[in-house]
Amino acid sequence: MSVLPIVLWPDARLSQICAPVGDADIRTLTDEMFETMYAAPGRGLAGPQIGDMRRVFVMDVTWKEGARTPMVFADPAITARSVETVVMEEGCLSIPDLMVPVTRPREVSVTWRDEAGASHSADFDGFAARCIQHEMDHLDGVVTLDHLDTATRTALIEGYDPK
Ligand code: ZN
């Protein structure tokens, strides 16, 4: 296993729609994605962020509080969204040191497959709902900045130097 280099915005790969995982064995890939995510350190990491253009992301929303709960989401789909929305400042490992306010539904219902191919469905709220929506955006070529109106986006980007 190895820590993979993280693709940084505005790399064109972060603007592309990813392809289905299907029946492919992704366990080596997701092991390396977890290692990369924990090293970054982050709580979610999507395929295009390490240059794999498939619909997969890894998430662990509790490890920074001391208990690891790693989850793999392959070919995820949001099947329901709450009407109620909430604004939160979001960071992104591909846009280091830039916090972006993003409005999203407070709760989502999600279906996905894990790294062993087993199907799951569950409802999420709080930070997990936020993280899942953020990572699923990456699978559709969308980053936090794409949620902003032009004036807000321009003001945030102005002077931003990811180095
Ligand atoms: Zn991100």
Side-chain angles (χ1 to χ4, degrees), residues 3-163:
V3 172
L4 305 167
I6 292 179
V7 173
L8 295 178
W9 180 85
D11 190 293
R13 287 170 289 183
L14 297 174
S15 301
Q16 294 173 18
I17 295 176
C18 293
V21 171
D23 295 332
D25 186 345
I26 54 170
R27 282 172 289 191
T28 301
L29 170 67
T30 55
D31 283 349
E32 292 190 326
M33 288 175 70
F34 277 120
E35 191 170 353
T36 303
M37 183 192 78
Y38 289 130
R43 291 184 283 196
L45 184 72
Q49 294 185 275
I50 46 86
D52 190 299
M53 304 306 294
R54 289 181 291 179
R55 305 187 73 81
V56 57
F57 70 88
V58 298
M59 180 177 87
D60 186 336
V61 295
T62 61
W63 77 275
K64 288 187 177 181
E65 285 71 52
R68 286 193 177 190
T69 52
M71 298 179 72
V72 171
F73 293 77
D75 293 333
I78 293 177
T79 57
R81 296 168 171 79
S82 63
V83 173
E84 186 186 1
T85 59
V86 59
V87 183
M88 283 179 63
E89 296 265 335
E90 295 184 18
C92 178
L93 295 178
S94 293
I95 318 175
D97 303 322
L98 189 68
M99 297 301 288
V100 177
V102 181
T103 304
R104 300 188 189 274
R106 180 183 292 277
E107 301 170 13
V108 288
S109 302
V110 184
T111 63
W112 74 99
R113 289 194 313 280
D114 62 25
E115 67 277 21
S119 296
H120 301 271
S121 64
D123 300 333
F124 295 90
D125 60 11
F127 185 84
R130 172 68 42 166
C131 187
I132 286 168
Q133 293 177 83
H134 176 112
E135 302 309 332
M136 285 186 65
D137 270 358
H138 278 303
L139 308 183
D140 289 321
V142 173
V143 297
T144 52
L145 292 165
D146 298 326
H147 285 269
L148 303 175
D149 63 75
T150 304
T152 307
R153 176 188 172 105
T154 301
L156 259 183
I157 293 174
E158 201 169 47
Y160 173 63
D161 180 359
K163 307 301 173 289

